[in-house]
Amino acid sequence: MLTPLDFAPTLRVILRGQGLTTMISQMDANGLGGLLNDTTANHTVFAPTNAAFAAVPPSAINATVLNYHLTDDVDMLSSFVDGLLEWSHLRLPSLLNNTQALRVSVNSTSNTVSINNATILSGDYTASNGVVQILNSVLSLPPYLSTILQNATVLSNLTSLLNSSGLLNGVLASSPGLTLFAPTNMAFSQVNPQVLQYLGRPLAASVLQNVLSYHIINGATTTPNTIYYRDTIPMGTTNFTMMSGDVAQFNKTGVSALTINNQANATVFNVLAANGVMHGINTVLFPPSFVFDLQKALVGVDATGFLNLLLNSSLLAPLLNGATNYTIFAPNNAALAALQQNMPTGMALLQMLQYHIVPGTYFTTNFTNGQVLPTLLFPMGLNGAAQVLRVNTSLLTSTYINNANITMANYTAVNGVVHVIDTVLVPPMNISTILATNPAFSTFNSLVQASGLAALVQGNSLSLSLSLSLFIF
């Protein structure tokens, strides 16, 4: 049979001519066969070989999968460059009814071109209504972001935090149209370990969720609804409102040159997902509202009992988030529990709390044996002078504040430092109380009372030097 000179075969004819009969039969069985003969629109068919189809269960092939093997353009091999995205015929509600992308990879060493997980064996078989590129395997549909994260070992730190925050199996497993900027494990290794410890505490759950949400753009809330692939992020400087509600500044100076908040650089682009896209970044992002202050530091060291006492004090609570630096010696929860039945109230409680706080920032590395630290406690008996804490570094393995051992040191905040101690610090009694309550001084106390000096030892600014051996008879 003679073929007319102006005859141009359709995609169906091209597929049959290349022996790609399974692709034809699957297209027909799933209601897509009309596209192969339709000359009113052009398509590229990424057609797996018959052997590639045979390698997957028949139940895995459906209209959704087949639409992912089609584009609405004529995509020639010469147009493919590494990292290019082609837009398939597949539209998904999880992508805000946008089309799912195909990622092109070009290996200049082996001179091969891949589409996602499949290598193009041969191509540019031109038809009157498009072109056929032959693949060595069936294209897999991108999974949801949650699944991608769980399978990415270089993102295990991020995945763990997302899981504990509820975002992994919540938003990232179901919400549509997300763009995730994912810090690598190396990025997390550069974060202050004390901050990470704080974010892992139950009391910091809402803050953790806010920090992690600062890495996500929710396309459903943008106008127009947009998923931000590498090439849809605008050039120049753009402010995006992240899912946390905070603004992040993006600065794109080249096709693959993207910086966020002048800190984080994008290192990997366009990891395709069923509900969006993921880009890898080399720095963890913190919202502008995040400040690691003394309140967060106390949560980080799990001194929650002492923190609650401070928060319930109208005088002391503002110090935790203020601009002035303080050193806090925080009893651990066990120490407070041991005092529970004898916990002071009212003014006595306030004075006890004040006795644990020192103006300024004091690190244990700078402590000297016998050093005194003036506290916030100003008892009347000292005539306006501050009650002090005494440092004891004479023991090689421990540092003590009065009688309390420092068990966790130098937990640094922007407005001071926290040291955890194993004993509640009790403000010193006045001299008259010491004499009256200590049996060792009973004789001396009797002489004081008999001599009419009782009022003197109860007065202000009195300092006595006592020697027990002097009064042993």
Side-chain angles (χ1 to χ4, degrees), residues 403-441:
N403 63 325
N405 182 26
I406 295 179
T407 59
M408 186 183 300
N410 303 324
Y411 211 87
T412 309
V414 297
N415 58 339
V417 64
V418 172
H419 307 294
V420 179
I421 53 179
D422 64 356
T423 304
V424 177
L425 300 171
V426 178
M429 297 178 288
N430 61 38
I431 292 176
S432 63
T433 304
I434 294 174
L435 294 176
T437 58
N438 193 326
F441 300 134

Side-chain angles (χ1 to χ4, degrees), residues 247-291:
V247 173
Q249 185 182 86
F250 287 67
N251 187 26
K252 187 177 179 184
T253 57
V255 174
S256 298
L258 176 66
T259 303
I260 306 172
N261 289 345
N262 294 318
Q263 296 174 336
N265 296 314
T267 55
V268 176
F269 288 95
N270 295 340
V271 179
L272 304 177
N275 59 332
V277 66
M278 181 175 74
H279 310 294
I281 57 176
N282 64 356
T283 303
V284 178
L285 303 172
F286 285 91
S289 57
F290 181 87
V291 178

Side-chain angles (χ1 to χ4, degrees), residues 10-21 24 125:
T10 63
L11 287 167
R12 180 180 293 272
V13 173
I14 293 295
L15 289 169
R16 184 181 298 115
Q18 296 300 317
L20 302 170
T21 54
I24 296 173
Y125 297 102

Side-chain angles (χ1 to χ4, degrees), residues 102-189:
L102 298 160
R103 179 174 174 138
V104 176
S105 299
V106 178
N107 189 323
S108 56
T109 303
S110 60
N111 197 29
T112 57
V113 178
S114 298
I115 304 295
N116 290 7
N117 58 304
T119 300
I120 297 178
L121 298 175
S122 61
D124 284 357
Y125 297 102
T126 307
S128 61
N129 57 342
V131 66
V132 173
Q133 314 289 359
I134 302 177
L135 304 180
N136 71 341
S137 62
V138 176
L139 294 173
S140 300
L141 295 174
Y144 274 75
L145 285 165
S146 56
T147 302
I148 293 172
L149 287 162
Q150 290 169 355
N151 293 324
T153 56
V154 296
L155 300 176
S156 60
N157 290 340
L158 172 64
T159 304
S160 177
L161 290 173
L162 287 167
N163 183 48
S164 62
S165 73
L167 291 173
L168 183 68
N169 297 313
V171 169
L172 295 170
S174 59
S175 294
L178 304 179
T179 304
L180 170 65
F181 297 90
T184 62
N185 290 348
M186 183 64 72
F188 275 98
S189 71

